[in-house]
Amino acid sequence: MDGSPSKMSPRLRARLAILDEAKRKWDHARALVEQATARKSGVFRDGSGALGEWNPERQLRKVTDQIRSVANDVANLLAEQPFTELGEEVRELVMLARGIPSRTTLYRMHELVNTVYRSFELAEKQLRRKDEEDSLR
């Protein structure tokens, strides 16, 4: 099987669509983690804090709330078989994005984002391989 859309089973197409949507949302989570890191380091000063002053904790909390929301959306997308393990991996980011993260927590978020990207690639390869095996039966 060469992976072209016309030769994929409907089941594989549906699963790959779920995975593609999860990857798209995960890209957003990655950007938010980068933004949280910038805000934590004080590099990002947009002046939108209370009374026109920069309020880093408030800004960082807004970003971590967004991270948690996006990660939760991705985890919900991946809640069904065959993605349950991947969904649990994503839920770890939901847990890490509570409150105001330390630098160590932000580092762990970066690691987790990259690990999940690798897991997406592996899941796609496994889905394609299984579909190919099923089509040979």
Side-chain angles (χ1 to χ4, degrees):
M1 201 164 165
D2 66 7
S4 66
S6 62
K7 295 189 178 190
M8 285 190 277
S9 71
R11 186 172 105 193
L12 177 62
R13 266 195 298 270
R15 288 180 173 175
L16 288 177
I18 290 169
L19 205 54
D20 285 344
E21 177 70 9
K23 281 193 240 181
R24 186 186 63 73
K25 288 184 178 202
W26 199 246
D27 284 338
H28 187 206
R30 171 187 248 168
L32 289 168
V33 169
E34 293 294 332
Q35 189 178 44
T37 302
R39 287 179 189 264
K40 182 71 175 182
S41 67
V43 171
F44 189 85
R45 294 183 183 225
D46 64 359
S48 66
L51 302 174
E53 297 175 17
W54 184 57
N55 185 336
E57 286 189 4
R58 183 178 189 197
Q59 296 299 316
L60 190 55
R61 185 174 302 277
K62 283 173 141 178
V63 175
T64 55
D65 287 348
Q66 290 174 331
I67 292 168
R68 195 170 57 249
S69 176
V70 170
N72 201 41
D73 288 349
V74 173
N76 288 339
L77 259 174
L78 301 173
E80 300 294 320
Q81 285 290 345
F83 302 119
T84 52
E85 288 181 27
L86 188 52
E88 288 303 314
E89 221 174 320
V90 169
R91 287 228 186 265
E92 190 175 336
L93 185 60
V94 174
M95 300 306 288
L96 285 172
R98 294 186 184 267
I100 298 175
S102 65
R103 289 187 193 278
T104 304
T105 302
L106 286 169
Y107 178 76
R108 178 66 190 118
M109 286 179 175
H110 278 280
E111 286 182 331
L112 183 60
V113 165
N114 292 328
T115 298
V116 170
Y117 269 118
R118 287 189 297 275
S119 295
F120 281 146
E121 291 170 8
L122 181 61
E124 183 175 344
K125 287 177 185 175
Q126 289 173 338
L127 286 171
R128 289 182 186 279
R129 190 176 327 122
K130 180 157 179 24
D131 190 65
E132 185 176 320
E133 290 169 1
D134 289 349
S135 71
L136 295 175
R137 287 185 191 168

